[in-house]
Amino acid sequence: MITSKNNELIRYVKKISSKPKARREEKVFFAEGRRLLSETPSDLLVKVLVSEDFSYGDTPADQKLQDVLSTCGDVEEVSAGVFSEFSETKHSQGIAAIVKQPSYDPKDLLSDDPLLLVLENVQDPGNLGTMVRTALGAGAGGIIMTKDCVDIFSPKVVRSTMGAIYRMPFFFVENAAEAIELLRGKVRTFAASLGGEKTYDRCDFSKGTAFLIGNEGNGLRPETAKACDEEMLIPMEGGLESLNAAMAAGILLYEAHRQRHEDLV
């Protein structure tokens, strides 16, 4: 059992948890909690750390977690005090891991008539995590992010995806212009923009569709919105200028889902 916070492994875990550059170089990330680790594919687990006071419960997630960890031989026990040194949560569940970053080829996202999200300079970890979960729930085929977005492998983003990070394909581009060019001729690109001439519910999302969502405070860059096939807006009441980015993405994704699955309504 590791009892020193200066242990080499503990220093490594803290570095991966806190430093985006280290995550990029090592191609791993930090994940914590029963639910999240129960969703983690066992072949992505590099090292599991459990607190000395950790014990399994009797929930389905705990049973699934046991199944996952039964195939992972690299489990290290640490003292409760040492675990608190790297835990990212206020009330720790006593289990965490270093996990390999999943990677995808752009072709993984471009199936027949795909539904995609393209995110430009999204900065809030909770927003990004929520959009990953929502995209998965709405049946999207993937997410494209500009490199100035918040790190999808940061602990806060990973935690807020609640495991969806393992099932939603994604990749990165330098900027939105690169994404639009990549998608040209394959899908119709829609900018969520206050400059749109019609509301989202009057648009056709039944074929290949990509929604472009911008920064929480500033929205899409003007040149990005203009480069899309169509600008559209979500109507606002009460004097509001805009919605939360994740909320806007959810509205659009589920409108596309409705149009594509009207027989289920």
Side-chain angles (χ1 to χ4, degrees):
M1 181 169 68
I2 297 175
T3 59
S4 171
K5 66 181 181 181
N6 294 317
N7 177 276
E8 183 178 354
L9 174 60
I10 302 308
R11 293 201 305 269
Y12 177 73
V13 170
K14 292 169 74 173
K15 181 176 73 171
I16 295 302
S17 174
S18 62
K19 298 185 181 301
K21 182 180 179 182
R23 292 193 288 270
R24 287 194 299 271
E25 291 175 348
E26 299 286 336
K27 299 189 184 306
V28 296
F29 64 97
F30 176 80
E32 182 178 5
R34 297 169 187 268
R35 172 69 180 274
L36 182 57
L37 291 188
S38 74
E39 298 288 339
T40 304
S42 58
D43 62 336
L44 294 183
L45 290 170
V46 176
K47 173 77 76 171
V48 177
L49 300 100
V50 295
S51 174
E52 61 183 325
D53 54 7
F54 172 80
S55 61
Y56 290 107
D58 57 2
T59 67
D62 280 284
Q63 181 58 59
K64 190 174 180 181
L65 178 60
Q66 290 186 64
D67 294 340
V68 170
L69 297 188
S70 68
T71 61
C72 175
D74 212 344
V75 180
E76 193 80 50
E77 185 180 19
V78 304
S79 68
V82 169
F83 195 93
S84 68
E85 285 287 319
F86 57 79
S87 175
E88 289 279 334
T89 60
K90 186 175 181 180
H91 301 291
S92 168
Q93 296 181 3
I95 188 164
I98 297 295
V99 183
K100 295 176 188 176
Q101 295 181 4
S103 62
Y104 304 92
D105 188 285
K107 290 183 291 187
D108 295 334
L109 282 66
L110 297 175
S111 60
D112 293 338
D113 294 329
L115 175 60
L116 306 172
L117 268 184
V118 179
L119 307 179
E120 180 182 58
N121 194 29
V122 170
Q123 292 298 303
D124 184 85
N127 275 340
L128 180 54
T130 299
M131 284 190 268
V132 173
R133 289 174 60 200
T134 304
L136 183 64
I143 298 176
I144 303 172
M145 290 166 282
T146 60
K147 288 191 174 178
D148 56 3
C149 284
V150 63
D151 180 14
I152 193 172
F153 295 113
S154 76
K156 289 183 179 179
V157 176
V158 171
R159 192 163 58 248
S160 64
T161 70
M162 296 183 68
I165 192 171
Y166 302 121
R167 302 193 295 279
M168 174 50 56
F170 56 85
F171 70 94
F172 310 93
V173 291
E174 284 295 330
N175 50 53
E178 181 182 336
I180 293 170
E181 188 58 35
L182 176 69
L183 298 174
R184 197 176 305 282
K186 302 178 180 70
V187 304
R188 188 164 179 79
T189 52
F190 292 87
S193 167
L194 295 176
E197 295 186 357
K198 62 181 179 180
T199 58
Y200 74 96
D201 55 326
R202 293 171 54 209
C203 299
D204 181 6
F205 307 139
S206 61
K207 303 298 183 183
T209 297
F211 296 124
L212 278 84
I213 305 290
N215 176 267
E216 291 86 350
N218 302 311
L220 290 170
R221 294 182 175 97
E223 61 271 25
T224 299
K226 295 297 182 186
C228 290
D229 294 314
E230 193 163 348
E231 292 184 66
M232 58 178 181
L233 56 84
I234 298 173
M236 301 288 164
E237 302 288 348
L240 286 180
E241 292 186 359
S242 64
L243 290 177
N244 169 278
M247 177 65 75
I251 290 171
L252 299 175
L253 286 166
Y254 272 95
E255 172 61 17
H257 182 277
R258 184 194 67 78
Q259 292 184 18
R260 292 167 179 231
H261 300 85
E262 287 190 292
D263 56 319
L264 301 179
V265 178

